Amino acid sequence: MGGGARGALLLLCAVLRMKRLNCGSLGTKRMPLLVMKFGGTSVGDLARIRNAATKVKSEVDRGFDVIVIVSAMSGKTNELVGWVNATSALYDAREYDAVVASGENVTAGLMALALQEMDVPARSWQGWQVPIQTTSAHSAARFVDIPRANIDQKFDQGMKVAVVAGFQGLSPEGRITTLGRGGSDTTAVAFAAAFDAERCDIYTDVDGIYTTDPRITTKARKLDHIAYEEMLELASLGAKVLQTRSVELAMRYKVRLRVLSSFDETDETSGTLVCDEEDIMESRVVSGVAYSRDEAKMTLQAVADRPGIAAAIFGPLAEAGVNVDMIVQNISEDGHTDMTFSCPTDQVLRAETALNAARDRGDIEFQGLVADRDVAKVSVVGIGMRSHAGVAAKMFKVLAAEGINIKVITTSEIKISVLIDRKYMELAVQALHDAFDMDKAA
Ligand code: ASP
Ligand code: MG
């Protein structure tokens, strides 16, 4: 909680500073600016780096100045993480970041070279050269400020493309930091906000955001637009296209974010635009169905029901780093109640340890602790739910017709999630996709 609030505050400070800097550069006439981000598979080998450079060149030819954000070549970050672990089991987090950030440095330099070969004036920047200022939370750092002066100066001198290594920054202590896996997306959005970019294009290995995973149903359809809030729900529900934090940042600073493929011919209309809901013309109730395969359902049986009991249970779970998602408290009988929650399967052990320790300390009492590791979460998401009743009822009916038992339900304004047996997950996604006509454009 505290960390989140502090993060938000830092972000706020950052945007205020960004705005000031923008005013400072109003005097010079500059080309409109685009941020283009290339993920690991899009820069996976030298031919692909060249292909990405071609896409950058065509935007320059169209009249844009470009900031390119690059990921490490695919597989590189995993390899670097492996090297760190093999060298030191209880590694120094600062050296972890020093090693793991290096993958992006390689692609930044290579991308600048590829552009120069095409006669595009380009140069590379490592995070510390900008300097991208972050907190000192190593491997999970957050942006504090992105000063524009160094890069602006080069644009003013005729540079057309600044290639910036994604995923990294500099701590107040002067050490290299990284932003957490998938962090280059967030670098891209932060640069788009700091430099007032027209748009932030995220080039990846899929051609956009789909109504659901095309591997589960061939009827999955690519969306032209999706609202920030919907994308946030989908991102955090396991659609792994964008790092969740990048979408939060885009929503806060109204950065128009486009997801498109680096392997297709692309133009202005390609991909999916993640934008404000006011900019979406189609009227649809449900936009997508998401799933999360590796969920576990844990139940504390016969917990003494008294004020403070939820805090006594979920406090230690939070401290142990368990990501609790759904929570249900049953009706109380004779002063006892069952408390059920869900968490990722690989955190069950951690949750059990924390709860048993709390019981040993006398902080909570319960009769049993049961873990069901074979569940999955399926969710329907759509901003249209705000104004349409009956989505939940329809969802439950569809699952009932397939004979799928619902174990836990939670809802928010734009999302309904259910926990079901994992073996029915694909079936549930397909049935819901059909029932809500998600294959048809609204
Ligand atoms: N290379 C980093 C990772 O794999 C950051 C990124 O690609 O977004 O997590
Ligand atoms: Mg990624």
Side-chain angles (χ1 to χ4, degrees):
M1 240 354 156
R6 198 166 139 257
L9 205 68
L10 285 168
L11 222 51
L12 193 70
C13 300
V15 79
L16 291 176
R17 236 171 301 172
M18 285 169 185
K19 289 291 173 212
R20 246 202 333 266
L21 283 162
N22 288 350
C23 298
S25 62
L26 277 181
T28 48
K29 192 191 166 296
R30 279 264 301 280
M31 306 305 262
L33 188 125
L34 209 59
V35 171
M36 301 172 76
K37 182 257 172 180
F38 293 93
T41 49
S42 305
V43 292
D45 59 35
L46 298 184
R48 287 181 176 184
I49 291 176
R50 235 171 271 127
N51 170 62
T54 310
K55 292 199 177 284
V56 176
K57 182 183 182 332
S58 54
E59 297 294 4
V60 171
D61 292 345
R62 237 179 251 165
F64 286 106
D65 281 350
V66 182
I67 296 179
V68 174
I69 308 293
V70 285
S71 283
M73 295 163 95
S74 55
K76 197 65 201 172
T77 307
N78 288 342
E79 183 183 47
L80 295 170
V81 170
W83 289 351
V84 170
N85 285 320
T87 306
S88 169
L90 293 171
Y91 53 75
D92 175 346
R94 294 163 298 191
E95 300 306 344
Y96 169 99
D97 277 357
V99 174
V100 171
S102 69
E104 272 70 12
N105 297 344
V106 174
T107 28
L110 291 172
M111 177 67 78
L113 288 173
L115 286 160
Q116 288 171 7
E117 287 296 317
M118 297 169 188
D119 293 325
V120 179
R123 71 155 273 190
S124 70
W125 305 77
Q126 295 181 10
W128 64 271
Q129 292 173 299
V130 174
I132 300 171
Q133 289 159 17
T134 71
T135 61
S136 37
H138 284 278
S139 83
R142 286 173 170 261
F143 290 109
V144 175
D145 194 15
I146 300 180
R148 290 176 51 153
N150 285 340
I151 290 180
D152 271 344
Q153 192 194 7
K154 293 292 171 194
F155 276 130
D156 290 340
Q157 291 168 4
M159 175 187 70
K160 299 306 290 175
V161 182
V163 186
V164 180
F167 178 54
Q168 56 177 261
L170 190 66
S171 74
E173 293 77 25
R175 303 297 303 259
I176 304 296
T177 55
T178 64
L179 307 173
R181 299 305 302 271
S184 296
D185 294 332
T186 306
T187 306
V189 173
F191 271 78
F195 283 82
D196 264 336
E198 302 279 303
R199 213 174 51 230
C200 180
D201 285 346
I202 307 277
Y203 285 86
T204 178
D205 50 8
V206 293
D207 62 355
I209 307 296
Y210 279 71
T211 49
T212 194
D213 186 342
R215 287 170 302 188
I216 292 191
T217 168
T218 52
K219 292 184 197 161
R221 182 175 58 87
K222 184 168 75 70
L223 296 162
D224 291 333
H225 296 85
I226 187 164
Y228 293 121
E229 280 161 291
E230 292 174 324
M231 190 63 226
L232 264 184
E233 294 288 2
L234 293 173
S236 59
L237 290 172
K240 297 186 189 71
V241 187
L242 290 171
Q243 197 195 35
T244 304
R245 200 138 50 86
S246 72
V247 186
E248 286 167 0
L249 210 59
M251 179 157 101
R252 192 164 311 152
Y253 299 125
K254 303 246 184 266
V255 172
R256 289 155 59 83
L257 194 62
R258 189 162 70 127
V259 175
L260 70 174
S261 165
S262 65
F263 303 120
D264 296 349
E265 289 286 326
T266 42
D267 60 29
E268 294 285 271
T269 63
S270 305
T272 301
L273 192 68
V274 188
C275 58
D276 221 44
E277 69 178 273
E278 279 88 64
D279 298 335
I280 301 179
M281 290 297 139
E282 305 110 280
S283 67
R284 55 186 186 224
V285 180
V286 171
S287 298
V289 44
Y291 64 86
S292 163
R293 189 185 301 271
D294 294 310
E295 297 286 325
K297 174 177 146 243
M298 303 195 69
T299 303
L300 281 156
Q301 293 167 320
V303 181
D305 190 10
R306 56 171 172 82
I309 190 63
I313 292 171
F314 294 104
L317 288 171
E319 272 158 39
V322 177
N323 294 312
V324 172
D325 179 24
M326 308 164 122
I327 298 176
V328 181
Q329 181 177 347
N330 280 11
I331 209 158
S332 187
E333 260 178 63
D334 308 324
H336 286 85
T337 182
D338 287 351
M339 188 80 88
T340 297
F341 63 91
S342 71
C343 68
T345 320
D346 61 5
Q347 292 181 357
V348 168
L349 196 62
R350 207 183 288 190
E352 284 172 344
T353 311
L355 292 170
N356 286 324
R359 175 158 72 173
D360 293 346
R361 286 195 305 271
D363 294 346
I364 50 175
E365 289 162 45
F366 56 87
Q367 253 162 41
L369 176 55
V370 196
D372 178 353
R373 288 179 165 80
D374 296 315
V375 294
K377 183 171 64 171
V378 174
S379 313
V380 297
V381 173
I383 43 173
M385 279 181 212
R386 286 202 193 109
S387 45
H388 278 77
V391 178
K394 181 165 173 181
M395 177 177 189
F396 304 153
K397 225 164 145 183
V398 170
L399 296 175
E402 299 293 341
I404 301 172
N405 190 33
I406 300 172
K407 301 183 168 216
V408 181
I409 302 167
T410 54
T411 64
S412 79
E413 215 187 354
I414 66 161
K415 175 185 79 172
I416 303 157
S417 302
V418 296
L419 219 53
I420 58 173
D421 277 330
R422 187 173 302 135
K423 63 180 179 219
Y424 297 128
M425 192 191 79
E426 277 88 357
L427 176 63
V429 172
Q430 289 155 359
L432 291 167
H433 198 274
D434 282 348
F436 286 99
D437 289 326
M438 287 186 228
D439 54 331
K440 297 181 193 81

